[in-house]
Structures are given as structure tokens and as C-alpha cells.
Amino acid sequence: MKNLINFIIKYFSWFVFIFYVTISCMLLFDNNPYQHHVYLTSANRICSSIFSVFNNVTSYFHLHEINEDLHHRNAMLEMEVINLRNELADIKLMLPDSTFSSPAVHDYDFILAHVINNSISQPQNYITINRGSDDGITPEMGVIDHNGVVGIVNVVGSHSARIISLLNPQFRLSCKVKGHDYFGSMVWDGKDPYHAVLEELPKHVKFAKGDTIVTSGYSSVFPEGLIVGTIEEQVKDKNDNFFSLRIALSSDFTQLSTVRAIKNKRHDEIVKLSQEQASDRKEARK
Amino acid sequence: MLQFALLFIMMIIVQTICNHICIFGIAIPLVYIYFIVRLPINLSVNWVMTLAFFLGLTIDIFSNTQGMNALACTITTVLRRPIFSLYFAREDDLANPIPSIRTLGTGIYIKYLLSIVLVFNIILFFIQSFTLSNIVLTLLRIVASTILSTLLIFGIDSLDNTKREKRL
């Protein structure tokens, strides 16, 4: 007994060391980002209040570029409104007695939020925003800015939330080339914050450089047709059955400021349906 | 004691600002290790490890890295004593146990500081990349980040020194 106590005292530092290393490794190899606790991410109250202070200062830095961007986008949208109005008028002429409305748009709502912390140089990047569960943010909401897709909410505090950035290899986004129905999944290759790779596209289709990549709408997170980026070049996929496209991302992750979280009004319904389907399948197996 | 508590908080704030810096896409300043450099050399290693672990964990929370900095910090701390005795064998001769330019002399202090920052960067970037698939890039990042961090730490160090001289 005495020897044991002596042994423990003698090597106490090693026990302390192993203890801390074990805790660190447990945190490090916890691969599921959706299960991180809110206190251990930047969505907690102290972090978000400090980031808000920083953001009050730094948010003025890129105002000029952001303004320019918004003007550009505004002009584009105005053009689109005019075009759509014309089209709608034409269609109404053709079908005078039908009530015309597109239900897909009304399924989604937006919550505006400011980015208070953002990283682009880590191998796995996250973004913190200043809206949380009190403002209606829930995990697994899609996040976009005025240029395109930004990420997906994963940890939510009461007044802040953490988003898995598109610049995170753990986030795969289902995308398609505008005008085609072929879809693939987009993932960041970790090289630079302006490009990502769209994988798993069929080999026989030819795509042109500069084509627009949009979300496929196959999940309830993002509506169909949100701009993600444009094709820059074709690259060979790791396995030879598919090929990949190198995408120039449309959102500038170095200058994120205001983002919108997408609230899908039918999210619960869709989740419930897929759960029912899963349980049905289980019963069928029995 | 109070001095180190202040340094702890200051390092967290400085590192949070530094997280936004990334020069040429490879050099990332990691200045918070300065806190571990400055801890008294005769402080028990258990205490140093505890402080280092919690410092690393706080940095992790602020930069969303989940245990990476905590692990690198803890391992570096264990190597601090051996590195120190490598350059300064007669520990008992120290009048002031807090390592600084004045207590150690410029040459030894620079060597000690550079070694710790280098060791810390090596550990951190290998944890970060984990596989050695792109070893050239990792080595480049280690070297660039070590140089940048050391320069920044010298900046902080000189601020600290001028303040003290004025007070005297």
C-alpha cells in the first residue's frame, strides 16, 4: 500500500498529463459536429458577446464592397422581377381562369443575422452568428448570404449560433448544374477559401466552363435553385467511375457580413414523413 | 499572481484577434503560447499543465477547434522544463524565476522562446493535418508560422518591458 502511494506521488505529474491528454483527444476525435455541446463552441454566451464587440469595429471595414455587391444583386433582381412579371402576364393571357401561384416559394422564411466570427484558414471552418434559439434559429437550418450558400446551422445558443461553413469537409451539399438534372455532392477540398469540388457527376455528360451550379433541393435544408458557384474546370475524381468539377464559389467567405437563415415551414412535416418511412421499413423487416 | 491572470485574459483576446490573420495562406500567428513561456520556471509542472490545458481549451472554444490547442499546449508544457535546462543548466542561479530578457539574457531567452514556439507549432500543425499526405505544405506552415509567432511575441514582450521600465 505504501509503495503504491509512493508510486502515485512519484509519477503524479504523468497521471495529470495523461488525464489532460485523454480529455483533449476525446474532444479532438469527436467526429460528429452536430453533437458538440454549446458551451464548448463559439455559440456560448461569453464568446458571442466578445465577438459582438469585435464585430462592431470590424463590420465597417468592407462596407464599400458589400454595398457594391448589393447594388449589383439588386439590379439583377429587378431585371428578374421585370422578366417574371412579363412571363406571368403572358401565361395569364393563355390561362385566363386559373389562379396562378407558385407554392414552392411560400414554404420558406428568412431570418436575418450578422456574422460575428468567421474563420477560413482552419482545416474545418465554422461561422458564428448573433441570432439564436430566441430568434427562431434551430439546428440544421440552411444559411445563405446575398451571393449564395454559406453553410448550415449546427449548434444553437440562446442568442448566438454556430454554422458549419461550406469551407468544412464535414459539410456536403447536394448540387446540380443549372439546366441539367444531373446532381452531385459538393465538398471543400481544404485548399483555398474560393473554390470547392463538385463530386460524383456522371462521366458521359459534358459541362461548359462558367455554367452556374445551384442547389438541387433534394433535402429540406435548402430550397431548389440557390446559386452556389460557377464551373471553373474539370478534374479527375478519386475513383474513376465519376468525374468532378472545380467550382468557383459565389459567396466571398473572407467578407461575410449579413446572412439569412432559411426556415422551412414544412421541415417538421418532411422529417416526420421520413421517420415514418424508416419505422415502416423496420416493421416490414420484422 | 494577478499579473498572470491578466496575461491569461490578454492572451485569449490577442489570439482571438490573431485568428483572423493568415499571411499568404500559410502563416498563422499563435501568440498565446507566450503565457506558457512566461510562467515561473520553478512552478510545479502539474500547475503549469493545468493552466496550459485550460488556456488551450479556451482558445479552442473561441476558434472552434475542439481540443486541438488544448492537446498541443499540454504536450508543449511537458517539454518546457527540458528545453529550458538545455540552454540554462544552473537553475538555482536564477534570481527571478520568471523567464524574460533581463533574467536570462537576450541570447538564451531568444533560443528558449524560439524552441518552445517551434515545438508548439510542430505539434499543433501535425495534429491539424494528422496525415502526412502533404508534408511539404505542413513543414512550410510550421516554419512560416513559427517565424511570424516569434516576431509577434517579441512585439508583445517589448511592450511589457517598456511598461516596467517606466514604472521603475
Side-chain angles (χ1 to χ4, degrees):
Chain A
M1 194 63 200
K2 203 179 164 192
N3 280 338
L4 182 70
I5 292 168
N6 278 338
F7 174 80
I8 290 173
I9 290 171
K10 197 176 170 191
Y11 294 105
F12 185 64
S13 304
W14 283 107
F15 287 115
V16 175
F17 175 67
I18 289 163
F19 176 68
Y20 286 140
V21 168
T22 317
I23 293 180
S24 312
C25 286
M26 267 161 60
L27 287 171
L28 193 61
F29 297 114
D30 176 15
N31 275 324
N32 190 346
Y34 288 96
Q35 285 171 1
H36 291 171
H37 197 274
V38 69
Y39 291 116
L40 287 179
T41 64
S42 60
N44 72 41
R45 191 166 299 173
I46 300 167
C47 276
S48 59
S49 51
I50 290 173
F51 285 145
S52 297
V53 173
F54 285 153
N55 185 52
N56 274 341
V57 181
T58 54
S59 60
Y60 292 102
F61 290 171
H62 300 297
L63 272 188
H64 186 73
E65 287 95 334
I66 291 162
N67 207 2
E68 203 113 292
D69 251 17
L70 282 176
H71 272 304
H72 195 72
R73 180 84 180 150
N74 199 17
M76 251 174 65
L77 287 176
E78 258 170 29
M79 280 303 294
E80 206 168 322
V81 166
I82 292 167
N83 284 339
L84 287 176
R85 213 174 264 159
N86 288 343
E87 255 174 59
L88 200 65
D90 287 349
I91 290 168
K92 265 188 185 157
L93 278 179
M94 274 159 31
L95 308 158
D97 49 327
S98 68
T99 48
F100 204 87
S101 70
S102 72
V105 181
H106 300 301
D107 285 353
Y108 295 97
D109 236 352
F110 296 113
I111 300 168
L112 268 182
H114 287 283
V115 171
I116 53 175
N117 185 48
N118 181 17
S119 73
I120 51 165
S121 55
Q122 302 284 339
Q124 294 177 357
N125 294 296
Y126 295 95
I127 301 164
T128 318
I129 57 170
N130 67 345
R131 294 274 183 273
S133 54
D134 288 3
D135 308 289
I137 305 267
T138 52
E140 298 191 31
M141 269 171 127
V143 179
I144 57 173
D145 78 341
H146 54 275
N147 286 323
V149 174
V150 167
I152 181 167
V153 176
N154 78 332
V155 181
V156 179
S158 59
H159 289 290
S160 53
R162 191 178 71 167
I163 298 165
I164 304 184
S165 169
L166 201 57
L167 307 180
N168 190 327
Q170 281 171 330
F171 176 38
R172 298 186 83 91
L173 181 66
S174 171
C175 292
K176 63 181 184 184
V177 183
K178 202 174 180 180
H180 292 265
D181 274 337
Y182 301 106
F183 65 96
S185 80
M186 189 165 78
V187 71
W188 188 51
D189 55 357
K191 280 176 189 149
D192 66 299
Y194 306 105
H195 297 95
V197 176
L198 183 59
E199 290 174 343
E200 295 163 19
L201 282 165
K203 243 183 167 176
H204 59 276
V205 199
K206 286 260 183 289
F207 298 108
K209 213 169 142 181
D211 274 0
T212 316
I213 303 291
V214 293
T215 51
S216 68
Y218 289 164
S219 71
S220 61
V221 176
F222 291 105
E224 192 184 338
L226 286 173
I227 295 171
V228 179
T230 51
I231 298 177
E232 189 155 286
E233 58 173 339
Q234 278 185 20
V235 284
K236 247 194 169 169
D237 207 321
K238 270 173 252 158
N239 45 356
D240 270 340
N241 292 328
F242 299 100
F243 73 42
S244 307
L245 297 169
R246 198 165 157 76
I247 309 291
L249 294 170
S250 58
S251 329
D252 186 356
F253 283 87
T254 56
Q255 291 181 9
L256 287 180
S257 67
T258 310
V259 293
R260 282 167 285 173
I262 305 171
K263 192 176 189 171
N264 189 345
K265 288 176 189 162
R266 301 198 180 162
H267 181 258
D268 294 338
E269 210 173 310
I270 293 169
V271 169
K272 214 172 116 190
L273 267 178
S274 57
Q275 272 171 358
E276 268 171 23
Q277 207 177 6
S279 60
D280 280 355
R281 236 179 256 156
K282 257 184 210 167
E283 271 171 30
R285 242 178 254 159
K286 277 174 197 170
Chain B
M1 186 63 204
L2 184 72
Q3 179 197 347
F4 284 107
L6 278 176
L7 190 64
F8 191 94
I9 295 164
M10 202 182 93
M11 280 301 115
I12 291 166
I13 292 171
V14 171
Q15 185 58 45
T16 316
I17 297 168
C18 284
N19 274 341
H20 295 277
I21 303 171
C22 183
I23 295 172
F24 306 130
I26 49 167
I28 299 160
L30 297 155
V31 294
Y32 70 95
I33 198 73
Y34 179 63
F35 176 75
I36 292 157
V37 171
R38 283 307 294 274
L39 282 176
I41 204 73
N42 58 0
L43 189 68
S44 135
V45 74
N46 294 338
W47 268 110
V48 182
M49 263 195 292
T50 310
L51 287 169
F53 174 76
F54 282 106
L55 179 66
L57 195 66
T58 321
I59 301 290
D60 274 335
I61 291 169
F62 274 90
S63 46
N64 279 315
T65 42
Q66 287 284 324
M68 204 162 72
N69 287 299
L71 181 60
C73 242
T74 318
I75 297 173
T76 313
T77 322
V78 178
L79 299 171
R80 188 176 84 119
R81 261 313 244 292
I83 289 171
F84 185 79
S85 49
L86 209 65
Y87 301 123
F88 202 88
R90 296 154 287 116
E91 221 172 87
D92 305 329
D93 291 359
L94 273 179
N96 187 348
I98 299 171
S100 71
I101 289 185
R102 275 189 307 162
T103 52
L104 295 181
T106 315
I108 293 173
Y109 182 67
I110 290 174
K111 275 191 268 182
Y112 162 69
L113 176 68
L114 198 63
S115 316
I116 287 196
V117 175
L118 182 66
V119 166
F120 178 67
N121 273 289
I122 290 171
I123 296 167
L124 190 76
F125 281 106
F126 275 114
I127 296 170
Q128 207 174 63
S129 59
F130 220 77
T131 50
L132 301 179
S133 58
N134 203 343
I135 190 145
V136 181
L137 185 68
T138 311
L139 289 178
L140 202 65
R141 292 182 110 176
I142 289 169
V143 173
S145 302
T146 307
I147 295 168
L148 183 63
S149 312
T150 316
L151 287 175
L152 278 174
I153 288 174
F154 264 113
I156 297 168
D157 214 33
S158 61
L159 281 180
D160 196 42
N161 283 338
T162 46
K163 232 192 288 169
R164 204 148 309 148
E165 272 158 25
K166 267 178 200 163
R167 228 180 275 157
L168 280 173

